Amino acid sequence: MSDDTKSANEMWGGRFSAGPDAIMEAINASIGYDQRMARQDIEGSRAHAAMLAATGVITEDDAKVIREGLLTVLAEIEAGNFAFSTALEDIHMNVEARLKEIVGEPAGRLHTARSRNDQVATDFKLWVRDQMDAAIDGLEALIRALLGQAEAGADWVMPGFTHLQTAQPVTWGHHMMAYVEMFGRDMSRFRDARARMNESPLGSAALAGTSFPIDRHMTAEALGFDRPTANSLDAVADRDFALEFLSSATICAMHLSRFAEELVIWSSAQFRFVRMSDKWSTGSSIMPQKRNPDAAELIRAKIGRIMGANIGLMTVMKGLPLAYSKDMQEDKEQVFDAADNLMLALAAMTGMVSDMTANTESLEAAASSGFSTATDLADWCVRALNMPFRDAHHVTGSLVAMAEDRGCDLPDLSLEDMQSVNAQITEEVFGVLGVHNSVASRTSYGGTAPSEVRKQIARWKEKLGKEVLA
């Protein structure tokens, strides 16, 4: 070995001591992760073989042998008996090589009228479509858990916050329904993206289509797509479907993170709003009194990985000319990781919501503190005394200052105290200062009144029932 060769090999180091060939194989291969698309790859190949026979490109006998052989390959993979080869680069070549070992010469006809470019685009679309369906199902389960909490606590009062400062009383049910709306939008985003992506790239070949008399509508229908893609260049270059999945997943993870943060706060000794089930909490290795909301904290952190995947793939795609470039091999690992973590976070959050117990005494005590009914007092002055709201705001602010000086809350002030600020105030004002009266009065559409919360719960139950039937 020459000194130059020895030096080069030392530079490659470790597992790449064989030199550039080993590095090229390692950087070029995707089988370490794209084997997750084995089922989708075989499903697409079976549809392609059937179409080739139907259009006379290959014989019915060859198509039958190929389709049956592919089922054998799938069975081996699912049983864990398949030997994946890095030298064969990806799932497509691994499957085809094994198919040839099983059925012989007909396997070589399978790749007629297609390319790995449209094949991988089809496989990846099928995989992402499955993940969108899984995300929709996971979100529906979470929404149903939230509806259960909302229904149980439609009348429970708690503080509503702005700037994490007590603002106005709301109901527990109303707070739960706020997250129902958030996760409902997430569900609709995944549905919208799924509908938009549901076009088949198969048959676009490398980039220009094919001269064989194929029937792309046939394969599209067989694979559950609405139609074939209309432009072969775009079909093999497109990863918008993966980006839309990641974008939707990122927004969903952000919502999960916000809710997880509230659960961390609410379960603290300072708030004591909720008790988390032992299933979703851990103890401290040194402090025996601790119950740490680890599941919520881990959900809160998932946004970093999922949003990172979104930014990562967007960066990969941003400078690519049409059509396919090898850069696009970097699309899958990020999507796989994001999908895994989103589903894990959804499942964990659903479990926590289903199991958590609200401390209604702490909720009501907190709702009654911090002059939370000050706005109700101002509104009463407008309604009962025909006072301009800005004047009512000033009167209420003066009364809040008085209560603050005395170390009491607004309902604890006497009528004489209130009349010292404004002589028109009557005994009726005390009817609006209780937190239960406050929330019951918020009957505007979408308000926190228990009656309105129950209407929204009923609306969502009906909505979910229709969507499940659809």
Side-chain angles (χ1 to χ4, degrees), residues 374-413:
T375 306
D376 297 278
L377 174 54
D379 289 347
W380 180 86
C381 290
V382 172
R383 286 194 309 271
L385 306 181
N386 197 29
M387 192 181 291
F389 182 79
R390 287 302 172 196
D391 294 344
H393 188 281
H394 178 74
V395 167
T396 302
S398 298
L399 290 171
V400 166
M402 180 186 293
E404 203 166 27
D405 287 343
R406 297 184 182 182
C408 66
D409 209 342
L410 284 172
D412 301 320
L413 294 175

Side-chain angles (χ1 to χ4, degrees), residues 324-336:
Y324 181 84
S325 297
K326 193 68 171 177
D327 310 48
M328 292 163 68
Q329 185 170 294
E330 290 295 305
D331 56 2
K332 295 170 199 68
E333 283 182 285
Q334 301 168 88
V335 176
F336 293 161

Side-chain angles (χ1 to χ4, degrees), residues 35-46 66-82 84 91 94-96 98-99 102:
Q35 60 186 262
R36 292 183 64 161
M37 301 191 303
R39 182 177 60 78
Q40 289 81 10
D41 187 72
I42 289 170
E43 184 181 354
S45 290
R46 294 186 80 242
I66 290 169
R67 284 166 57 81
E68 290 176 354
L70 286 167
L71 289 180
T72 301
V73 176
L74 180 60
E76 291 178 354
I77 292 172
E78 290 181 341
N81 298 325
F82 191 95
F84 291 103
I91 186 61
N94 270 263
V95 168
E96 188 173 326
R98 178 60 181 140
L99 179 66
I102 295 170

Side-chain angles (χ1 to χ4, degrees), residues 9-22:
N9 286 345
E10 287 174 352
M11 182 177 69
W12 301 125
R15 59 182 292 216
F16 300 126
S17 59
D21 289 348

